[in-house]
């Protein structure tokens, strides 16, 4: 003898209460996911695409307590930022590090800066330039 099923035929009477309850959660999840993607895109654009600053050390002259560095900086016209320089002694110890700001509106800046050191520096290294 077979037992009769108490289950309703599929698709005949609409969605079940469980399926109806999931729809608002799916909509909220999709909206929050889209906002998160937009926020990540916004920050990525501003981090990568805007206000590029690059620099290079042209020459340097070491002294007993300072290193004079001829630095060339290229940047967007309205960008502001800074470049970080460091100097090392002959044994490799860091003897000086400093940030130098560039707020001029020019796109190319040649500047001689003085990096103070704790002892005689033998190098002048550009660690990087950053917008901000």
């Amino acid at each position: 003898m077979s037992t009769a099923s108490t289950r309703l035929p599929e698709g005949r009477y609409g969605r079940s209460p469980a399926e109806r309850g999931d729809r608002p959660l799916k909509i909220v999840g999709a909206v929050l996911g889209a906002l998160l993607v937009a926020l990540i895109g916004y920050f990525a654009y501003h981090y990568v695409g805007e206000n590029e600053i690059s620099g290079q050390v042209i020459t340097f002259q070491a002294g007993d307590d300072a290193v004079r560095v001829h630095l060339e900086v290229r940047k967007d016209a309205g960008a502001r930022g800074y470049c970080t320089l460091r100097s090392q002694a002959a044994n490799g110890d860091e003897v000086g590090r400093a940030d130098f700001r560039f707020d001029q509106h020019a796109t190319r800046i040649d500047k001689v800066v003085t990096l103070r050191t704790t002892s005689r520096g033998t190098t002048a290294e550009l660690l990087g330039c950053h917008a901000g």
Side-chain angles (χ1 to χ4, degrees):
M1 181 166 183
S2 68
T3 33
S5 173
T6 58
R7 203 165 167 217
L8 298 174
E10 284 188 40
R12 188 166 185 182
Y13 297 104
R15 292 181 301 188
S16 70
E19 289 174 340
R20 283 191 296 262
D22 286 348
R23 187 168 186 204
L25 290 176
K26 289 179 182 177
I27 291 171
V28 168
V31 168
L32 289 177
L35 286 174
L36 180 64
V37 168
L39 188 65
I40 290 172
Y42 174 79
F43 285 119
Y45 172 76
H46 284 285
Y47 181 75
V48 175
E50 284 192 359
N51 296 336
E52 270 192 38
I53 296 179
S54 63
Q56 71 179 40
V57 173
I58 305 298
T59 61
F60 69 92
Q61 183 178 19
D64 288 336
D65 62 350
V67 177
R68 290 177 46 93
V69 181
H70 179 189
L71 186 63
E72 179 184 85
V73 177
R74 294 184 182 272
K75 62 182 189 63
D76 294 337
R80 297 170 51 179
Y82 63 95
C83 292
T84 304
L85 293 171
R86 81 169 176 177
S87 181
Q88 293 177 309
N91 64 0
D93 289 342
E94 185 176 285
V95 294
R97 179 186 291 240
D99 293 332
F100 296 95
R101 292 206 62 69
F102 298 97
D103 296 331
Q104 298 91 334
H105 290 290
T107 59
R108 183 177 173 272
I109 301 168
D110 275 329
K111 189 171 184 180
V112 176
V113 296
T114 302
L115 175 61
R116 301 279 177 211
T117 58
T118 56
S119 63
R120 185 168 185 82
T122 58
T123 64
E125 180 181 2
L126 176 65
L127 297 179
C129 295
H130 307 280

